Amino acid sequence: MWHIIITSLPEMLVAMVQYTIPLAIIAFIFGLILAVLTALIKFIEPSENKAIKYPWLVLRAIANFYVWVFRSTPLLVQLFIIFFGLPNIGVQLDPFIAAVIGFSLNTGAYASETIRSALLSVPQDQWDAAFTLGFSTRQTLMKIILPQAVRIALPPLSNSFISLVKDTSLASSITILEMFQVSQQITAKNFQPLLMYTLAAALYAIICSLLTWLQHYLEKRTSRYVKGSEA
């Protein structure tokens, strides 16, 4: 048993470093950018100026539709549509690019609701106080509301990233040689599915445990001023 683990572990670790971790990080960054834009479109009320109001309402409708689609369908189905379905209309994507697009769109849809909820949780008094001090809407949003919303959204966003790391195993379904796919290939050679899949699970558990520790550290760092002010 130990011989199999020792000989298989380096190959799985290489796959983790080359594909699993980069895929999760890249997809989360793009997903977070998309989430912030989507959340702001849904959060900010449009101006009464018709030249701005109606295009903004169209953007909001598109944002709502995007969130509805990707929150209402399975991630695996989304990956299959992007990688196997789009070639039918002439769009051929590299497996890694297809995975980044699929994971980013899915993460963005879920994270946008997290960010929007965090924005809504900031008391209206913060807006009123800022306007009283002469802040514009943009200044209030960027300097007062968003920093507080980031602190509130940090725990659920961290959980989303941890879930994304585990979900990268689905990339094996579109031929990406990430860690789980490698474990499947090794299993086909040594016929030890229980051992290999347990090893893969252990590696995912180690990664997610480290990320959980980092999450707790960031939560303490971002909450230290709040605790100080409450004291």
mmCIF file of all heavy atoms in Angstrom, residues 81 98 131 162 175 207:
data_model
loop_
_atom_site.group_PDB
_atom_site.id
_atom_site.type_symbol
_atom_site.label_atom_id
_atom_site.label_comp_id
_atom_site.label_asym_id
_atom_site.label_seq_id
_atom_site.Cartn_x
_atom_site.Cartn_y
_atom_site.Cartn_z
ATOM 1 N N ILE A 81 -21.940 22.155 -21.467
ATOM 2 C CA ILE A 81 -22.450 23.049 -22.508
ATOM 3 C C ILE A 81 -21.315 23.866 -23.105
ATOM 4 O O ILE A 81 -21.208 24.025 -24.329
ATOM 5 C CB ILE A 81 -23.549 23.979 -21.935
ATOM 6 C CG1 ILE A 81 -24.806 23.175 -21.615
ATOM 7 C CG2 ILE A 81 -23.880 25.100 -22.921
ATOM 8 C CD1 ILE A 81 -25.888 23.965 -20.915
ATOM 9 N N ALA A 98 -12.119 26.559 -21.159
ATOM 10 C CA ALA A 98 -13.530 26.238 -20.942
ATOM 11 C C ALA A 98 -13.828 26.088 -19.455
ATOM 12 O O ALA A 98 -14.874 26.551 -18.967
ATOM 13 C CB ALA A 98 -13.889 24.958 -21.688
ATOM 14 N N PHE A 131 -23.475 61.627 3.271
ATOM 15 C CA PHE A 131 -24.070 62.729 2.501
ATOM 16 C C PHE A 131 -24.060 64.024 3.312
ATOM 17 O O PHE A 131 -23.876 65.120 2.759
ATOM 18 C CB PHE A 131 -25.494 62.375 2.094
ATOM 19 C CG PHE A 131 -25.572 61.257 1.084
ATOM 20 C CD1 PHE A 131 -26.661 60.401 1.053
ATOM 21 C CD2 PHE A 131 -24.562 61.061 0.160
ATOM 22 C CE1 PHE A 131 -26.748 59.386 0.123
ATOM 23 C CE2 PHE A 131 -24.622 60.038 -0.769
ATOM 24 C CZ PHE A 131 -25.721 59.195 -0.791
ATOM 25 N N ILE A 162 -13.270 27.929 -1.104
ATOM 26 C CA ILE A 162 -12.989 26.563 -0.662
ATOM 27 C C ILE A 162 -13.842 25.561 -1.440
ATOM 28 O O ILE A 162 -13.358 24.498 -1.858
ATOM 29 C CB ILE A 162 -13.234 26.434 0.856
ATOM 30 C CG1 ILE A 162 -12.200 27.270 1.625
ATOM 31 C CG2 ILE A 162 -13.172 24.971 1.298
ATOM 32 C CD1 ILE A 162 -12.462 27.374 3.106
ATOM 33 N N THR A 175 -11.766 16.564 -19.658
ATOM 34 C CA THR A 175 -10.436 16.083 -20.062
ATOM 35 C C THR A 175 -9.252 16.855 -19.476
ATOM 36 O O THR A 175 -8.132 16.732 -19.985
ATOM 37 C CB THR A 175 -10.286 16.050 -21.609
ATOM 38 O OG1 THR A 175 -10.186 17.388 -22.105
ATOM 39 C CG2 THR A 175 -11.456 15.342 -22.266
ATOM 40 N N ILE A 207 -5.634 20.812 1.484
ATOM 41 C CA ILE A 207 -5.735 22.136 0.860
ATOM 42 C C ILE A 207 -6.836 22.954 1.515
ATOM 43 O O ILE A 207 -6.649 24.124 1.879
ATOM 44 C CB ILE A 207 -6.008 22.005 -0.651
ATOM 45 C CG1 ILE A 207 -4.862 21.285 -1.356
ATOM 46 C CG2 ILE A 207 -6.207 23.387 -1.278
ATOM 47 C CD1 ILE A 207 -5.160 20.959 -2.801
#
